[in-house]
Amino acid sequence: MTKGTIINIPRRFVKDEWGGTETVITETAHQLKAIGYQLESVTTLALSDNKQESIFGIPVKRFGYSYTRLGLSKKHKLLLDKRGGNMFSLPLFFYLLFGKKTRVLHLHTMGRLGAIARIAARLKGIPYVVSIHGGYLGLPKEQLDDMMLPLKGSFNWGKPLDLLLQSAKVIDGADAVICVGENEREKIAAKYPEKKVVFLPNGVDQQRFSSGDATAFTEKYHFAKTDKIILCVSSFTPQKNQETLLRAFAKTHKQSPDLKLVLIGVIYDQDYFDLLARLTIELGVDEDVRFVCNLKFDDPSLANAYAAAELFVLPSLYEPFGIVVLEAWASGTPALCGNVGGLPSFVRNGENGLFFDVESVDSLYQNMTDILQDRKRYNHLQNHALKAVETYSWQAITKRLASLYEEVSS
């Protein structure tokens, strides 16, 4: 007997532009289906022409949308599609309002899409929950300004629409708010003291990432047997800060010529990616840095890359959670990252990971050098990370999510 339908609502949902939000939706959907729920993802046509398809067994419906901006170029629209765009979709609203019977709407976006979902939920008399994936209160101003750059030079004709939708009330009306970082949970709980705000971290497919084939990766990408790989898996945007990693790697490589750097990610910002490519030449490490771009999430090379890596580095200036750290841990690869965003919620400095100053090349350089030279410390981080990751199975995370659905819809 079915437990009802859960509709997930992200800004976009396409295989070619995969990120943490897509992983969370897909992995929890599979677990929820196994215990009797029906799942559907309803989103916009951003980055896709397909109005309907199945992605990893999950039905996806897409609808037309607008940014309500005059003078918005195709390039800037694409940037907004990829990151942070505040879109409006009337057909999506009508589908939510008049579509199939639904137990819970689960929003993975705020702004106008969140607002129309809020209105549809209230008109239908069903609950909705909101997952905060991108720094609702904790995003640094510099990162927010960077995301807003594509809007410059265009005119927002949608201000009356914003007044009608009352986008600011998405959190106010939610039956529950889910945060992937404990720091953000505390901030939102303080701002909305009467609201149910829960910390629910992301999970990891431990079986997949613990069974990667290191040899398959090194042979496919033509590494020598003596090469030691430093790995970073992150989209190519300024927020992800691969520039600092490149500069620190160049310093480390002078001492250890057998080191290689592999940067895996989706290209969200072509200008930033081109900057990184030029920088490898300027630093003299272009033959020692490998870019693996737009690798599909289900490509075996992803798990194989973690298995082949000596060290994983996440240099992000801000990270809502940092699911890639869990993927590294599951593969047995020690991780270095910044003490930013949601990372302190599960990374314990000196125990299962190492923090460095994400704005300091020297800090990252020193931490990479120290851990690569201190095998006892390396093994300590590796062993504790393998133990810590056991608590982040998708089965355990989804069990808590299902309990929340039951609570808000009872």
Side-chain angles (χ1 to χ4, degrees), residues 280-294:
T280 62
I281 298 173
E282 294 173 14
L283 295 172
V285 293
D286 50 301
E287 294 185 1
D288 302 291
V289 177
R290 194 70 50 84
F291 291 96
V292 181
C293 302
N294 303 322

Side-chain angles (χ1 to χ4, degrees), residues 329 381-392:
W329 285 3
L381 293 180
Q382 183 182 52
N383 292 334
H384 282 76
L386 283 168
K387 186 167 183 62
V389 79
E390 292 175 359
T391 64
Y392 291 92

Side-chain angles (χ1 to χ4, degrees), residues 216-223 262 290-292 295 299 301:
F217 184 82
T218 55
E219 289 182 350
K220 180 177 180 178
Y221 292 97
H222 309 294
F223 288 102
V262 175
R290 194 70 50 84
F291 291 96
V292 181
L295 193 69
D299 192 315
S301 292

Side-chain angles (χ1 to χ4, degrees), residues 77-262:
K77 179 179 178 295
L78 180 61
L79 287 173
L80 291 171
D81 283 351
K82 289 173 179 284
R83 252 193 345 143
N86 184 14
M87 60 259 287
F88 172 72
S89 175
L90 191 59
L92 190 152
F93 169 70
F94 285 133
Y95 178 80
L96 293 177
L97 186 59
F98 300 114
K100 65 174 62 176
K101 184 178 179 181
T102 306
R103 181 165 184 172
V104 178
L105 294 183
H106 190 155
L107 284 59
H108 299 268
T109 181
M110 300 281 283
R112 292 167 179 161
L113 286 187
I116 64 175
R118 175 186 71 86
I119 295 170
R122 290 300 167 253
L123 289 175
K124 293 185 74 170
I126 60 175
Y128 74 92
V129 301
V130 182
S131 280
I132 306 296
H133 295 282
Y136 172 60
L137 295 179
L139 189 66
K141 183 180 182 301
E142 295 80 5
Q143 308 312 310
L144 182 61
D145 289 344
D146 179 66
M147 292 173 66
M148 295 298 103
L149 279 176
L151 298 177
K152 285 191 173 182
S154 63
F155 172 73
N156 179 17
W157 57 265
K159 288 183 179 181
L161 182 63
D162 294 332
L163 292 174
L164 177 65
L165 292 175
Q166 297 182 306
S167 300
K169 291 188 176 182
V170 174
I171 295 291
D172 298 68
D175 293 272
V177 179
I178 298 171
C179 299
V180 297
E182 178 59 27
N183 289 342
E184 187 141 56
R185 187 206 67 79
E186 292 176 356
K187 291 178 180 179
I188 293 178
K191 185 174 181 179
Y192 301 93
E194 304 301 320
K195 188 66 58 183
K196 184 175 183 61
V197 184
V198 300
F199 167 56
L200 186 63
N202 292 338
V204 64
D205 185 341
Q206 296 176 35
Q207 181 177 0
R208 177 190 177 192
F209 288 99
S210 65
S211 57
D213 187 335
T215 301
F217 184 82
T218 55
E219 289 182 350
K220 180 177 180 178
Y221 292 97
H222 309 294
F223 288 102
K225 291 183 178 180
T226 55
D227 289 339
K228 294 181 179 179
I229 295 173
I230 295 175
L231 175 67
C232 175
V233 179
S234 195
S235 58
F236 292 106
T237 68
Q239 176 186 325
K240 300 302 184 179
N241 195 32
Q242 290 96 336
E243 180 179 352
T244 293
L245 174 55
L246 276 175
R247 294 185 184 280
F249 171 77
K251 294 183 67 173
T252 311
H253 186 264
K254 290 179 180 179
Q255 298 180 349
S256 304
D258 57 345
L259 289 177
K260 305 295 178 183
L261 177 62
V262 175

